[in-house]
């Protein structure tokens, strides 16, 4: 399907309809899955890294399948790019007896002690069992896993205080398994980012692609742009108005994107340059130019919002106003987020060991 056809179709039908199924499973990931399955036998628990902007979509069903009942510590990375209130909601949503959750800024925070503390808490039963048997508790062993581009290698390098893993702002950089001794209490097994063969829910694929977890050459950029514009119009209209200097939003996502293109001068011979518009809009999203956006809402919050129609849209707009007013585009001030996010998220700023 041609890109222009897809845009026109979306405009006329006023719906979001991905033009093709997203499938991406390189050969090295098939091998990585087999290795992960084998190495899970060597670890006590799992550290799964997800993107705080898409905590559900960045969950890998393959990890669910392979992990079984092993304890799990979920790290919501890139919290500095996500809505802080929704991050709190997601932490509550995902936490359970066998599952700890913490949100982190992998680059700017020192979360090492909190990570070790939560790992010890999560494995209290194992440690007590070893003590009862007269065994001196050994270092806990954790497998670090997640989908591509959520920050696994960045985390490993930060915690190891050396370049233990190759990093890059593109999916599929880490392609081998390696052990990293963090300290006397914790050893980490880094693994390649693994995606599952096919997205049954195409919106999951769209969200992952929009934030860069899937290579751009396997998706239609128009699908991403229209989907994101539609979500922002419904949930963060003020972000679009303020970022692009619009007086109002148009009726459809495409018409709003067209208005943005004309405002920004993304034109070719006086007409909207569709390719440039799509790519520039997605680039703005990936570079956080629209503020701190979380692209999916916990089920409990969705049910609550559905029971009170209209209220959340007003709260969302007010909340977004607060964020955008204190947001100097690329140089955002995180003090507001630090003040409102509870200790479960923001007690990571300890002195470097």
């Amino acid at each position: 399907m041609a890109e222009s056809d897809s845009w026109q179709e979306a405009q006329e039908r006023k719906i979001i309809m991905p033009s093709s199924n997203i499938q991406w499973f390189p050969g090295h990931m098939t091998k990585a899955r087999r290795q992960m399955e084998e190495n899970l036998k060597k670890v006590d628990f799992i550290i799964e890294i997800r993107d705080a902007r898409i905590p559900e979509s960045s969950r890998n069903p393959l990890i669910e399948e392979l992990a079984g009942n092993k304890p799990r510590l979920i790290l919501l990375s890139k919290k500095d790019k996500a809505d802080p209130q929704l991050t709190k909601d997601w932490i509550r949503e995902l936490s359970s007896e066998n599952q700890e959750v913490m949100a982190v800024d992998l680059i700017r925070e020192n979360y090492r002690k909190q990570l070790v503390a939560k790992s010890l808490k999560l494995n209290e039963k194992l440690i007590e069992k070893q003590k009862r048997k007269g065994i001196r508790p050994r270092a806990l062993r954790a497998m670090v896993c997640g989908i591509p581009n959520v920050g696994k290698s960045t985390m490993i390098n930060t915690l190891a205080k050396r370049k233990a893993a190759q990093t890059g702002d593109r999916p599929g950089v880490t392609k081998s398994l390696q052990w990293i001794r963090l300290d006397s209490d914790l050893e980490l097994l880094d693994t390649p980012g693994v995606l599952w063969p096919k997205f049954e829910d195409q919106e999951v694929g769209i969200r992952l692609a929009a934030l860069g977890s899937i290579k751009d050459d396997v998706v239609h950029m128009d699908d991403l742009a229209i989907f994101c514009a539609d979500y922002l119009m419904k949930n963060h209209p003020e972000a679009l108005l303020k970022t692009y200097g619009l007086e109002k939003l148009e009726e459809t996502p495409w018409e709003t994107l067209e208005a943005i293109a004309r405002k920004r001068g993304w034109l070719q011979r006086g007409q909207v340059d569709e390719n440039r518009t799509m790519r520039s809009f997605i680039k703005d999203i990936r570079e956080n130019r629209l503020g701190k956006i979380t692209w999916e809402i916990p089920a409990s919050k969705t049910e609550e919002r559905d029971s009170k129609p209209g209220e959340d849209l007003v709260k969302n707009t007010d909340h977004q106003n607060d964020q955008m007013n204190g947001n100097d585009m690329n140089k955002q001030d995180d003090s507001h987020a630090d003040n409102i996010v509870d200790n479960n998220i923001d007690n990571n700023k300890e002195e470097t060991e």
Side-chain angles (χ1 to χ4, degrees):
M1 179 182 292
E3 287 182 348
S4 58
D5 292 341
S6 173
W7 281 69
Q8 187 62 33
E9 181 179 316
Q11 181 187 7
E12 291 173 355
R13 288 161 49 184
K14 299 180 182 177
I15 60 172
I16 306 302
M17 183 65 67
S19 54
S20 61
N21 289 338
I22 299 173
Q23 299 186 50
W24 186 53
F25 204 64
H28 76 270
M29 288 192 176
T30 303
K31 180 181 178 182
R33 174 188 168 141
R34 290 197 300 266
Q35 288 178 320
M36 282 180 62
E37 200 165 6
E38 184 62 31
N39 280 279
L40 271 169
K41 302 171 185 176
K42 305 174 184 177
V43 300
D44 304 308
F45 72 109
I46 293 170
I47 297 176
E48 180 186 1
I49 305 181
R50 303 187 191 180
D51 191 319
R53 298 167 294 176
I54 47 171
E56 182 65 23
S57 292
S58 56
R59 173 188 66 87
N60 191 335
L62 288 180
I63 295 174
E64 300 279 347
E65 175 189 333
L66 299 176
N69 294 321
K70 283 189 181 292
R72 188 179 317 185
L73 173 57
I74 296 176
L75 299 188
L76 298 180
S77 68
K78 307 185 183 183
K79 78 166 194 180
D80 54 307
K81 299 181 179 182
D83 181 308
Q85 181 56 53
L86 281 175
T87 299
K88 289 174 64 177
D89 294 336
W90 273 110
I91 287 176
R92 284 191 289 268
E93 184 90 358
L94 297 172
S95 297
S96 66
E97 182 180 355
N98 203 40
Q99 190 162 279
E100 290 280 336
V101 187
M102 57 185 280
V104 293
D105 178 343
L106 294 172
I107 297 175
R108 294 183 291 180
E109 285 184 351
N110 181 7
Y111 51 90
R112 182 188 183 103
K113 286 184 178 179
Q114 188 186 10
L115 176 68
V116 173
K118 282 192 173 289
S119 298
L120 292 171
K121 178 182 177 183
L122 194 60
N123 289 275
E124 283 177 339
K125 291 181 179 179
L126 172 63
I127 295 171
E128 288 301 317
K129 182 179 179 181
Q130 291 174 339
K131 288 180 177 179
R132 285 197 303 270
K133 291 183 177 181
I135 302 172
R136 180 180 178 182
R138 56 166 173 75
L140 293 171
R141 295 168 185 162
M143 175 178 283
V144 181
C145 53
I147 65 171
N149 204 33
V150 291
K152 293 190 317 315
S153 296
T154 298
M155 188 199 87
I156 292 292
N157 292 336
T158 300
L159 294 176
K161 298 181 180 178
R162 60 187 173 86
K163 193 170 183 180
Q166 185 182 3
T167 62
D169 191 21
R170 65 187 190 279
V173 170
T174 307
K175 296 186 179 180
S176 62
L177 295 163
Q178 53 184 329
W179 283 97
I180 295 94
R181 186 173 181 82
L182 187 57
D183 59 21
S184 59
D185 290 317
L186 186 60
E187 294 178 354
L188 306 178
L189 176 60
D190 189 21
T191 64
V194 180
L195 279 171
W196 51 111
K198 181 180 178 181
F199 301 112
E200 298 300 331
D201 181 350
Q202 290 301 300
E203 285 194 10
V204 169
I206 291 290
R207 290 189 191 98
L208 289 169
L211 299 184
S213 291
I214 299 174
K215 293 179 179 179
D216 287 344
D217 56 8
V218 299
V219 296
H220 290 281
M221 198 60 66
D222 53 345
D223 289 341
L224 306 188
I226 293 175
F227 179 90
C228 290
D230 182 70
Y231 181 87
L232 291 169
M233 288 171 69
K234 293 174 179 176
N235 297 280
H236 299 277
E238 200 64 26
L240 290 169
L241 295 172
K242 284 183 173 289
T243 301
Y244 297 107
L246 302 176
E247 294 182 2
K248 65 181 182 67
L249 298 180
E250 304 299 332
E251 184 179 353
T252 67
W254 159 242
E255 289 169 338
T256 295
L257 286 168
E258 188 177 50
I260 291 171
R262 295 192 180 280
K263 196 76 174 179
R264 283 295 172 93
W266 297 335
L267 308 175
Q268 189 175 46
R269 296 179 182 177
Q271 300 298 316
V272 171
D273 185 335
E274 294 180 1
N275 184 59
R276 183 182 178 189
T277 297
M278 292 182 288
R279 294 189 178 279
S280 296
F281 182 64
I282 294 302
K283 184 172 183 287
D284 285 350
I285 288 171
R286 290 175 179 172
E287 293 180 353
N288 227 39
R289 292 180 181 271
L290 286 93
K292 298 182 179 183
I293 307 291
T294 297
W295 294 87
E296 51 193 3
I297 300 169
S300 58
K301 294 295 292 183
T302 302
E303 293 169 3
E304 179 183 325
R305 185 176 64 176
D306 289 344
S307 67
K308 300 178 181 179
E311 289 187 18
D312 273 0
L313 181 58
V314 175
K315 291 178 182 178
N316 243 354
T317 301
D318 291 342
H319 181 52
Q320 191 68 24
N321 267 325
D322 291 340
Q323 288 188 18
M324 297 301 294
N325 288 335
N327 177 24
D328 187 16
M329 303 312 291
N330 289 323
K331 297 180 180 179
Q332 298 176 0
D333 180 2
D334 285 337
S335 60
H336 176 64
D338 291 338
N339 286 333
I340 67 172
V341 180
D342 61 16
N343 290 333
N344 200 21
I345 302 176
D346 287 319
N347 62 359
N348 303 318
K349 298 180 178 178
E350 302 171 354
E351 293 298 325
T352 303
E353 294 179 313

